[in-house]
Amino acid sequence: MTPTRLALTLAATTLLLTATPARADGTDPSQPPDTAPSAAAPVKIDPTSPNLKLPEGATLAAPKVLDIKSVVEDQSGDERREDTNADVTFALQAEVLFSKDSAKLSDDAKSRITTIADEIKKQSATQIRVFGFTDNLGSAAHGDVLSRQRADAVQAVLDQDLNDPNITFEVRGYGEQYPIADNSTEEGRRKNRRVEVSFPRTGS
């Protein structure tokens, strides 16, 4: 082997021994994913700063508190609760309240409605909305009637549990309007068959 070829061989060997193994994802193998430091908290903006770049004539909007929505759904999907700064909404799937194509409440349904009544008392709410909804199977007219009958049935139990003449109910049947899921699947239609009870968050 000539001296030149020997030198090239030694140089190539040195590079192979000292090079860092390449990684397709570009991550550091000593650091687990998703552990990069997060961005610093946003700094307070000075609207009078000469370095603030705004279009000519534009001004900063007044600061405001955004409404935060919390959604909790039980594992079966039979019941969902939504909380915002202003309202509380309970959505109960029709299957846990009624038999198929019926507006007669089951015994289990009444205990679920009583739980909602307890929350209404806790919030000291006096304006309650009870809205019924269906999927898009069958005629729209039938869905309108059935959803209203189901909303009426839930309202009647709430009224009995609350027993408060100061409470005002708004009861409506929307039928297949305002779906919350895809009506092209049975899972979606099941979510759309529901009764929602909502009221203002006025208490603790």
Side-chain angles (χ1 to χ4, degrees), residues 45-53:
I45 297 176
D46 178 8
T48 62
S49 170
N51 296 318
L52 184 62
K53 305 297 184 183

Side-chain angles (χ1 to χ4, degrees), residues 20-33 35:
T20 303
R23 294 180 59 85
D25 58 8
T27 60
D28 180 353
S30 65
Q31 182 178 2
T35 58

Side-chain angles (χ1 to χ4, degrees), residues 71-111:
V71 180
V72 178
E73 187 173 274
D74 67 5
Q75 192 169 11
S76 64
D78 292 339
E79 184 173 332
R80 187 181 76 254
R81 172 175 173 158
E82 294 183 6
D83 288 84
T84 69
N85 296 342
D87 297 287
V88 179
T89 301
F90 286 89
L92 299 175
Q93 273 18 88
E95 279 76 357
V96 302
L97 298 175
F98 310 97
S99 299
K100 184 177 180 181
D101 205 31
S102 169
K104 183 178 180 181
L105 287 165
S106 66
D107 291 336
D108 180 56
K110 293 178 181 177
S111 66

Side-chain angles (χ1 to χ4, degrees), residues 8-204:
L8 289 173
T9 301
L10 290 173
T13 304
T14 303
L15 284 173
L16 287 173
L17 292 175
T18 59
T20 303
R23 294 180 59 85
D25 58 8
T27 60
D28 180 353
S30 65
Q31 182 178 2
D34 301 324
T35 58
S38 58
V43 296
K44 185 177 180 181
I45 297 176
D46 178 8
T48 62
S49 170
N51 296 318
L52 184 62
K53 305 297 184 183
L54 288 174
E56 186 175 350
T59 58
L60 289 176
K64 64 179 180 179
V65 177
L66 298 177
D67 196 16
I68 297 175
K69 177 186 287 188
S70 167
V71 180
V72 178
E73 187 173 274
D74 67 5
Q75 192 169 11
S76 64
D78 292 339
E79 184 173 332
R80 187 181 76 254
R81 172 175 173 158
E82 294 183 6
D83 288 84
T84 69
N85 296 342
D87 297 287
V88 179
T89 301
F90 286 89
L92 299 175
Q93 273 18 88
E95 279 76 357
V96 302
L97 298 175
F98 310 97
S99 299
K100 184 177 180 181
D101 205 31
S102 169
K104 183 178 180 181
L105 287 165
S106 66
D107 291 336
D108 180 56
K110 293 178 181 177
S111 66
R112 289 175 182 263
I113 296 169
T114 297
T115 300
I116 297 175
D118 291 340
E119 183 65 22
I120 292 171
K121 293 174 185 176
K122 179 181 175 182
Q123 297 294 336
S124 303
T126 57
Q127 293 181 317
I128 315 300
R129 297 176 295 274
V130 185
F131 297 161
F133 305 87
T134 64
D135 58 29
N136 66 348
L137 297 181
S139 70
H142 178 69
D144 290 344
V145 172
L146 180 62
S147 63
R148 175 57 190 260
Q149 289 174 338
R150 288 176 167 178
D152 283 336
V154 171
Q155 183 271 334
V157 176
L158 283 173
D159 192 27
Q160 184 178 20
D161 286 348
L162 295 169
N163 192 26
D164 186 344
N166 296 316
I167 290 180
T168 301
F169 289 91
E170 180 184 356
V171 185
R172 296 185 182 182
Y174 284 107
E176 64 187 55
Q177 299 180 69
Y178 309 110
I180 58 173
D182 186 357
N183 268 315
S184 67
T185 67
E186 176 51 32
E187 181 182 359
R189 290 191 294 270
R190 183 175 181 274
K191 286 182 175 292
N192 291 331
R193 298 190 293 265
R194 68 198 190 278
V195 175
E196 293 186 356
V197 180
S198 59
F199 44 90
R201 177 182 295 282
T202 55
S204 58

